[in-house]
Amino acid sequence: MTTTQGVTAMPAGATPPASPRVAAPQRRRRRGHIGDRVLPYVLLAPALIGVLGLLGWPTVQLLFISLRKLDLRELVTGDMVWVGLQNYSDVLADSEFWTITLRTLIFCAAVVAATMLIGLLVAVLMKHVNPVVRIAIQVALVLAWAVPIIAATTVFQWIFDQQYGILNKTLDKLGFHDFIGYSWFGSGTSTLTVIGLIIVWQAVPFIAFSLYAGLIGVPREQYEAAGIDGASGFQTFRAVSWPALKPIATMVTFLSVLWDFQVFAQVWAVKQGGPDGESTTLPVLLYLKGIAGSHFGPAAAIAMLMLLFLVVLTARYLQLLVRSKEAELR
Protein backbone atom coordinates (compact mmCIF):
# COMPACT_ATOMS: atom_id res chain seq x y z
CA MET A 1 0.00 0.00 0.00
CA THR A 2 1.45 3.35 -1.06
CA THR A 3 1.52 6.23 1.48
CA THR A 4 1.80 9.97 0.48
CA GLN A 5 4.13 11.89 2.75
CA GLY A 6 3.43 15.50 3.90
CA VAL A 7 -0.36 15.25 3.46
CA THR A 8 -2.50 15.37 6.61
CA ALA A 9 -5.37 12.97 6.66
CA MET A 10 -8.82 14.71 6.46
CA PRO A 11 -12.03 13.27 7.80
CA ALA A 12 -14.63 12.20 5.28
CA GLY A 13 -16.95 15.05 4.16
CA ALA A 14 -14.66 17.85 5.46
CA THR A 15 -13.89 20.87 3.20
CA PRO A 16 -10.20 21.36 2.55
CA PRO A 17 -8.76 24.81 3.45
CA ALA A 18 -8.49 27.42 0.68
CA SER A 19 -5.17 27.66 -1.01
CA PRO A 20 -3.14 30.86 -0.42
CA ARG A 21 -2.76 31.12 -4.18
CA VAL A 22 -6.54 31.67 -4.56
CA ALA A 23 -6.97 34.38 -1.87
CA ALA A 24 -4.29 36.67 -3.26
CA PRO A 25 -5.99 37.35 -6.63
CA GLN A 26 -9.26 38.11 -4.79
CA ARG A 27 -7.53 40.75 -2.67
CA ARG A 28 -5.93 42.24 -5.77
CA ARG A 29 -9.31 42.39 -7.53
CA ARG A 30 -10.86 44.09 -4.49
CA ARG A 31 -8.10 46.69 -4.41
CA GLY A 32 -8.47 47.21 -8.17
CA HIS A 33 -12.23 47.66 -7.82
CA ILE A 34 -11.77 50.40 -5.19
CA GLY A 35 -9.18 52.08 -7.39
CA ASP A 36 -11.56 52.06 -10.37
CA ARG A 37 -14.21 53.77 -8.26
CA VAL A 38 -11.88 56.46 -6.93
CA LEU A 39 -10.04 57.19 -10.20
CA PRO A 40 -12.85 59.27 -11.85
CA TYR A 41 -13.06 61.55 -8.81
CA VAL A 42 -9.30 61.99 -8.81
CA LEU A 43 -9.38 62.96 -12.50
CA LEU A 44 -12.25 65.39 -11.92
CA ALA A 45 -10.66 66.99 -8.86
CA PRO A 46 -8.54 69.63 -10.72
CA ALA A 47 -11.52 70.82 -12.76
CA LEU A 48 -13.74 70.84 -9.67
CA ILE A 49 -11.19 72.85 -7.70
CA GLY A 50 -10.94 75.32 -10.59
CA VAL A 51 -14.71 75.74 -10.80
CA LEU A 52 -15.00 76.25 -7.04
CA GLY A 53 -12.21 78.81 -7.17
CA LEU A 54 -13.75 80.75 -10.07
CA LEU A 55 -17.38 80.56 -8.98
CA GLY A 56 -17.51 79.53 -5.36
CA TRP A 57 -15.23 82.18 -3.88
CA PRO A 58 -16.92 85.15 -5.64
CA THR A 59 -20.27 83.81 -4.44
CA VAL A 60 -19.01 83.68 -0.87
CA GLN A 61 -17.68 87.24 -1.21
CA LEU A 62 -21.04 88.37 -2.59
CA LEU A 63 -22.80 86.78 0.39
CA PHE A 64 -20.50 88.61 2.81
CA ILE A 65 -21.13 91.94 1.06
CA SER A 66 -24.90 91.38 1.25
CA LEU A 67 -24.58 91.14 5.04
CA ARG A 68 -22.74 94.46 5.34
CA LYS A 69 -23.48 98.13 4.97
CA LEU A 70 -21.17 98.98 2.10
CA ASP A 71 -21.78 102.41 0.67
CA LEU A 72 -19.23 104.76 -0.83
CA ARG A 73 -18.03 105.91 2.62
CA GLU A 74 -17.38 102.36 3.85
CA LEU A 75 -15.73 101.50 0.56
CA VAL A 76 -13.27 104.40 0.89
CA THR A 77 -12.55 104.06 4.61
CA GLY A 78 -12.56 100.27 4.64
CA ASP A 79 -14.93 100.06 7.62
CA MET A 80 -16.63 96.69 8.20
CA VAL A 81 -20.22 97.48 9.23
CA TRP A 82 -22.20 94.27 9.61
CA VAL A 83 -25.97 94.61 9.38
CA GLY A 84 -26.94 90.94 9.10
CA LEU A 85 -30.12 90.38 7.09
CA GLN A 86 -31.09 94.05 7.11
CA ASN A 87 -30.30 94.47 3.40
CA TYR A 88 -32.51 91.52 2.54
CA SER A 89 -35.40 92.79 4.67
CA ASP A 90 -35.12 96.26 3.11
CA VAL A 91 -35.11 94.82 -0.41
CA LEU A 92 -37.99 92.43 0.22
CA ALA A 93 -40.04 95.17 1.91
CA ASP A 94 -39.66 97.46 -1.11
CA SER A 95 -42.75 97.30 -3.34
CA GLU A 96 -40.69 98.50 -6.30
CA PHE A 97 -38.53 95.37 -6.05
CA TRP A 98 -41.57 93.10 -6.38
CA THR A 99 -42.93 95.13 -9.29
CA ILE A 100 -39.61 94.86 -11.12
CA THR A 101 -39.32 91.16 -10.27
CA LEU A 102 -42.76 90.43 -11.73
CA ARG A 103 -41.91 92.49 -14.82
CA THR A 104 -38.65 90.60 -15.23
CA LEU A 105 -40.33 87.19 -14.97
CA ILE A 106 -43.07 88.10 -17.47
CA PHE A 107 -40.54 89.60 -19.86
CA CYS A 108 -38.25 86.57 -19.59
CA ALA A 109 -41.13 84.11 -20.12
CA ALA A 110 -42.43 86.00 -23.17
CA VAL A 111 -39.00 86.26 -24.78
CA VAL A 112 -38.16 82.60 -24.17
CA ALA A 113 -41.53 81.43 -25.52
CA ALA A 114 -41.17 83.57 -28.67
CA THR A 115 -37.58 82.42 -29.17
CA MET A 116 -38.48 78.74 -28.85
CA LEU A 117 -41.50 78.99 -31.15
CA ILE A 118 -39.69 80.90 -33.90
CA GLY A 119 -36.58 78.72 -33.56
CA LEU A 120 -38.67 75.56 -33.88
CA LEU A 121 -40.46 76.88 -36.96
CA VAL A 122 -37.16 77.85 -38.60
CA ALA A 123 -35.67 74.43 -37.79
CA VAL A 124 -38.65 72.63 -39.36
CA LEU A 125 -38.43 74.96 -42.36
CA MET A 126 -34.73 74.14 -42.87
CA LYS A 127 -35.60 70.44 -42.69
CA HIS A 128 -38.09 70.60 -45.58
CA VAL A 129 -36.73 73.20 -48.02
CA ASN A 130 -34.28 72.45 -50.83
CA PRO A 131 -30.51 72.68 -50.12
CA VAL A 132 -30.05 76.09 -51.79
CA VAL A 133 -32.75 77.76 -49.67
CA ARG A 134 -31.48 75.92 -46.58
CA ILE A 135 -27.96 77.28 -47.06
CA ALA A 136 -29.34 80.81 -47.55
CA ILE A 137 -31.32 80.54 -44.30
CA GLN A 138 -28.31 79.19 -42.43
CA VAL A 139 -26.06 81.99 -43.68
CA ALA A 140 -28.65 84.58 -42.60
CA LEU A 141 -28.88 82.96 -39.16
CA VAL A 142 -25.11 82.96 -38.73
CA LEU A 143 -24.89 86.63 -39.75
CA ALA A 144 -27.62 87.60 -37.29
CA TRP A 145 -25.85 85.62 -34.59
CA ALA A 146 -22.50 87.27 -35.33
CA VAL A 147 -23.70 90.87 -34.99
CA PRO A 148 -22.48 92.40 -31.68
CA ILE A 149 -25.17 93.18 -29.13
CA ILE A 150 -24.67 96.95 -29.09
CA ALA A 151 -24.53 97.13 -32.89
CA ALA A 152 -27.79 95.17 -33.18
CA THR A 153 -29.40 97.37 -30.54
CA THR A 154 -28.35 100.51 -32.41
CA VAL A 155 -29.82 99.17 -35.66
CA PHE A 156 -33.14 98.42 -33.98
CA GLN A 157 -33.18 101.90 -32.43
CA TRP A 158 -32.84 103.34 -35.94
CA ILE A 159 -35.62 101.11 -37.24
CA PHE A 160 -38.02 102.17 -34.47
CA ASP A 161 -36.98 105.83 -34.36
CA GLN A 162 -39.91 108.19 -33.92
CA GLN A 163 -39.00 110.64 -36.70
CA TYR A 164 -36.64 108.86 -39.07
CA GLY A 165 -37.31 105.18 -38.43
CA ILE A 166 -38.01 103.05 -41.46
CA LEU A 167 -40.78 101.16 -39.67
CA ASN A 168 -43.02 104.21 -39.21
CA LYS A 169 -42.37 105.31 -42.80
CA THR A 170 -43.23 101.83 -44.11
CA LEU A 171 -46.44 101.65 -42.08
CA ASP A 172 -47.38 105.10 -43.39
CA LYS A 173 -46.83 103.92 -46.97
CA LEU A 174 -49.06 100.91 -46.31
CA GLY A 175 -51.89 103.18 -45.24
CA PHE A 176 -51.44 103.22 -41.47
CA HIS A 177 -51.07 106.99 -41.22
CA ASP A 178 -51.51 107.01 -37.43
CA PHE A 179 -47.94 105.78 -37.12
CA ILE A 180 -46.49 109.03 -38.44
CA GLY A 181 -44.27 110.27 -35.57
CA TYR A 182 -45.33 107.36 -33.34
CA SER A 183 -42.97 106.82 -30.40
CA TRP A 184 -42.16 103.15 -29.85
CA PHE A 185 -40.26 104.10 -26.69
CA GLY A 186 -43.00 106.18 -25.10
CA SER A 187 -44.12 103.49 -22.65
CA GLY A 188 -42.53 100.64 -20.75
CA THR A 189 -44.57 97.98 -22.54
CA SER A 190 -43.61 99.09 -26.05
CA THR A 191 -39.99 99.63 -24.98
CA LEU A 192 -39.76 96.10 -23.57
CA THR A 193 -41.41 94.81 -26.75
CA VAL A 194 -38.66 96.35 -28.88
CA ILE A 195 -36.01 95.02 -26.48
CA GLY A 196 -37.62 91.58 -26.67
CA LEU A 197 -37.46 91.67 -30.47
CA ILE A 198 -33.75 92.42 -30.30
CA ILE A 199 -33.13 89.49 -27.95
CA VAL A 200 -35.27 87.10 -29.99
CA TRP A 201 -33.58 88.17 -33.22
CA GLN A 202 -30.18 87.27 -31.83
CA ALA A 203 -31.28 84.17 -29.89
CA VAL A 204 -33.21 82.38 -32.66
CA PRO A 205 -30.09 81.19 -34.57
CA PHE A 206 -28.80 79.15 -31.64
CA ILE A 207 -32.23 77.61 -30.99
CA ALA A 208 -32.86 76.91 -34.67
CA PHE A 209 -29.50 75.22 -35.25
CA SER A 210 -29.85 73.13 -32.08
CA LEU A 211 -33.34 71.90 -32.97
CA TYR A 212 -32.37 71.34 -36.60
CA ALA A 213 -29.53 69.09 -35.43
CA GLY A 214 -32.09 67.05 -33.53
CA LEU A 215 -34.41 66.83 -36.54
CA ILE A 216 -31.79 65.54 -38.97
CA GLY A 217 -30.85 62.88 -36.42
CA VAL A 218 -34.25 61.17 -36.75
CA PRO A 219 -33.99 58.09 -39.04
CA ARG A 220 -35.79 58.44 -42.36
CA GLU A 221 -37.44 55.05 -41.87
CA GLN A 222 -39.55 56.42 -39.02
CA TYR A 223 -41.02 59.11 -41.27
CA GLU A 224 -41.66 56.55 -43.98
CA ALA A 225 -43.44 54.29 -41.49
CA ALA A 226 -45.60 57.20 -40.32
CA GLY A 227 -46.47 58.01 -43.94
CA ILE A 228 -47.47 54.40 -44.62
CA ASP A 229 -49.74 54.51 -41.57
CA GLY A 230 -51.46 57.57 -43.04
CA ALA A 231 -50.30 60.07 -40.44
CA SER A 232 -50.69 63.76 -41.24
CA GLY A 233 -47.84 66.22 -41.06
CA PHE A 234 -48.72 67.34 -37.54
CA GLN A 235 -49.23 63.76 -36.38
CA THR A 236 -45.85 62.79 -37.82
CA PHE A 237 -44.19 65.68 -36.02
CA ARG A 238 -45.85 64.82 -32.72
CA ALA A 239 -45.15 61.07 -32.90
CA VAL A 240 -41.73 61.02 -34.62
CA SER A 241 -39.99 64.40 -34.52
CA TRP A 242 -41.00 65.71 -31.09
CA PRO A 243 -39.74 62.72 -29.03
CA ALA A 244 -36.29 63.28 -30.57
CA LEU A 245 -36.48 67.05 -30.09
CA LYS A 246 -37.83 67.07 -26.53
CA PRO A 247 -34.47 66.60 -24.69
CA ILE A 248 -32.81 69.26 -26.87
CA ALA A 249 -35.78 71.61 -26.52
CA THR A 250 -35.68 71.22 -22.73
CA MET A 251 -31.97 72.01 -22.64
CA VAL A 252 -32.13 75.10 -24.87
CA THR A 253 -35.22 76.37 -23.01
CA PHE A 254 -33.30 76.12 -19.75
CA LEU A 255 -30.32 77.94 -21.24
CA SER A 256 -32.58 80.64 -22.72
CA VAL A 257 -34.18 81.28 -19.33
CA LEU A 258 -30.74 81.63 -17.74
CA TRP A 259 -29.59 84.08 -20.42
CA ASP A 260 -32.77 86.15 -20.76
CA PHE A 261 -33.29 86.47 -17.01
CA GLN A 262 -29.92 88.24 -16.77
CA VAL A 263 -30.20 90.45 -19.87
CA PHE A 264 -28.70 93.87 -19.20
CA ALA A 265 -26.95 95.31 -22.27
CA GLN A 266 -30.02 95.58 -24.52
CA VAL A 267 -32.25 97.01 -21.78
CA TRP A 268 -29.70 99.59 -20.74
CA ALA A 269 -28.64 100.56 -24.27
CA VAL A 270 -32.19 101.14 -25.50
CA LYS A 271 -33.64 103.33 -22.73
CA GLN A 272 -31.61 102.76 -19.55
CA GLY A 273 -34.68 101.30 -17.88
CA GLY A 274 -36.95 104.15 -18.93
CA PRO A 275 -39.24 105.82 -19.52
CA ASP A 276 -39.69 106.57 -15.82
CA GLY A 277 -38.29 103.17 -14.88
CA GLU A 278 -41.09 101.28 -16.64
CA SER A 279 -38.67 99.00 -18.52
CA THR A 280 -36.35 98.43 -15.56
CA THR A 281 -35.55 94.76 -14.95
CA LEU A 282 -33.68 93.11 -12.09
CA PRO A 283 -30.22 93.35 -13.72
CA VAL A 284 -30.80 97.05 -14.38
CA LEU A 285 -32.00 97.55 -10.79
CA LEU A 286 -28.87 95.77 -9.60
CA TYR A 287 -26.73 98.21 -11.61
CA LEU A 288 -28.67 101.25 -10.41
CA LYS A 289 -28.38 100.20 -6.76
CA GLY A 290 -24.74 99.15 -6.90
CA ILE A 291 -22.63 100.88 -9.53
CA ALA A 292 -24.75 104.00 -10.04
CA GLY A 293 -26.01 104.45 -6.48
CA SER A 294 -22.97 103.10 -4.58
CA HIS A 295 -25.24 101.04 -2.31
CA PHE A 296 -23.37 97.78 -2.68
CA GLY A 297 -25.00 95.99 0.25
CA PRO A 298 -28.58 96.08 -1.11
CA ALA A 299 -27.23 95.41 -4.61
CA ALA A 300 -25.46 92.29 -3.35
CA ALA A 301 -28.70 91.19 -1.65
CA ILE A 302 -30.57 91.54 -4.96
CA ALA A 303 -27.82 89.57 -6.69
CA MET A 304 -28.06 86.78 -4.11
CA LEU A 305 -31.84 86.59 -4.56
CA MET A 306 -31.37 86.34 -8.33
CA LEU A 307 -28.76 83.65 -7.78
CA LEU A 308 -31.14 81.75 -5.52
CA PHE A 309 -33.79 81.80 -8.23
CA LEU A 310 -31.32 80.46 -10.80
CA VAL A 311 -30.14 77.74 -8.41
CA VAL A 312 -33.73 76.58 -7.88
CA LEU A 313 -34.29 76.62 -11.63
CA THR A 314 -31.11 74.62 -12.22
CA ALA A 315 -32.09 72.08 -9.58
CA ARG A 316 -35.46 71.63 -11.28
CA TYR A 317 -33.77 71.15 -14.65
CA LEU A 318 -31.39 68.55 -13.23
CA GLN A 319 -34.34 66.76 -11.65
CA LEU A 320 -36.11 66.58 -15.01
CA LEU A 321 -32.88 65.43 -16.64
CA VAL A 322 -32.42 62.59 -14.14
CA ARG A 323 -36.04 61.51 -14.55
CA SER A 324 -35.70 61.39 -18.34
CA LYS A 325 -32.54 59.29 -18.05
CA GLU A 326 -34.26 56.88 -15.67
CA ALA A 327 -37.18 56.59 -18.09
CA GLU A 328 -34.78 55.77 -20.93
CA LEU A 329 -33.12 53.05 -18.85
CA ARG A 330 -36.48 51.44 -18.17
Side-chain angles (χ1 to χ4, degrees):
M1 186 173 188
T2 306
T3 303
T4 305
Q5 298 180 352
V7 178
T8 305
M10 295 290 297
T15 303
S19 174
R21 297 181 180 179
V22 177
Q26 291 179 351
R27 289 195 297 269
R28 285 196 296 268
R29 284 197 299 269
R30 189 177 295 111
R31 287 195 297 267
H33 180 64
I34 296 174
D36 292 340
R37 293 173 58 184
V38 173
L39 181 60
Y41 297 99
V42 174
L43 296 176
L44 288 174
L48 182 60
I49 293 173
V51 170
L52 290 177
L54 292 175
L55 300 179
W57 179 245
T59 303
V60 172
Q61 289 288 88
L62 183 65
L63 177 61
F64 285 158
I65 293 174
S66 68
L67 301 176
R68 295 165 52 189
K69 179 185 178 183
L70 186 59
D71 295 340
L72 188 59
R73 177 182 178 278
E74 287 77 19
L75 187 65
V76 173
T77 60
D79 294 338
M80 301 285 287
V81 182
W82 297 96
V83 294
L85 299 178
Q86 184 64 41
N87 290 325
Y88 290 94
S89 62
D90 291 343
V91 168
L92 296 176
D94 188 1
S95 60
E96 182 185 17
F97 169 78
W98 292 108
T99 301
I100 295 174
T101 300
L102 180 60
R103 180 188 301 139
T104 304
L105 293 176
I106 296 175
F107 174 72
C108 178
V111 171
V112 171
T115 303
M116 292 301 302
L117 179 60
I118 297 175
L120 178 60
L121 294 176
V122 173
V124 174
L125 178 64
M126 289 193 294
K127 178 70 168 55
H128 292 89
V129 296
N130 63 70
V132 176
V133 178
R134 183 185 305 118
I135 292 175
I137 295 175
Q138 291 175 348
V139 170
L141 290 174
V142 170
L143 292 177
W145 200 5
V147 176
I149 293 176
I150 300 301
T153 303
T154 303
V155 170
F156 271 81
Q157 284 179 303
W158 289 344
I159 294 174
F160 288 90
D161 186 77
Q162 181 176 359
Q163 298 297 330
Y164 307 104
I166 191 174
L167 179 61
N168 286 352
K169 293 182 180 296
T170 302
L171 292 174
D172 179 41
K173 295 291 184 181
L174 294 176
F176 299 97
H177 304 296
D178 293 338
F179 284 94
I180 298 177
Y182 180 79
S183 175
W184 292 94
F185 305 106
S187 67
T189 302
S190 60
T191 301
L192 286 176
T193 301
V194 175
I195 296 170
L197 290 175
I198 301 172
I199 299 171
V200 170
W201 183 75
Q202 290 199 296
V204 161
F206 172 76
I207 305 298
F209 279 121
S210 299
L211 297 179
Y212 176 69
L215 283 175
I216 62 178
V218 180
R220 186 186 299 271
E221 292 78 9
Q222 296 185 14
Y223 291 107
E224 294 176 352
I228 294 173
D229 292 338
S232 63
F234 178 75
Q235 291 173 335
T236 301
F237 175 81
R238 185 179 62 181
V240 178
S241 301
W242 181 246
L245 286 179
K246 188 175 180 180
I248 302 176
T250 303
M251 179 191 69
V252 295
T253 301
F254 169 72
L255 293 176
S256 297
V257 172
L258 291 183
W259 294 333
D260 296 341
F261 184 74
Q262 305 176 77
V263 165
F264 171 78
Q266 294 92 328
V267 181
W268 185 259
V270 168
K271 204 66 177 178
Q272 297 181 357
D276 298 327
E278 294 181 4
S279 65
T280 300
T281 57
L282 282 177
V284 175
L285 177 64
L286 178 62
Y287 174 82
L288 293 175
K289 287 282 188 181
I291 304 300
S294 299
H295 301 298
F296 299 101
I302 296 174
M304 287 300 301
L305 293 173
M306 292 176 62
L307 179 61
L308 179 62
F309 170 78
L310 296 179
V311 167
V312 172
L313 183 67
T314 304
R316 178 57 179 167
Y317 170 72
L318 294 177
Q319 185 181 16
L320 294 175
L321 186 63
V322 171
R323 287 181 180 178
S324 64
K325 292 299 181 182
E326 290 177 351
E328 291 177 2
L329 292 176
R330 293 175 186 173

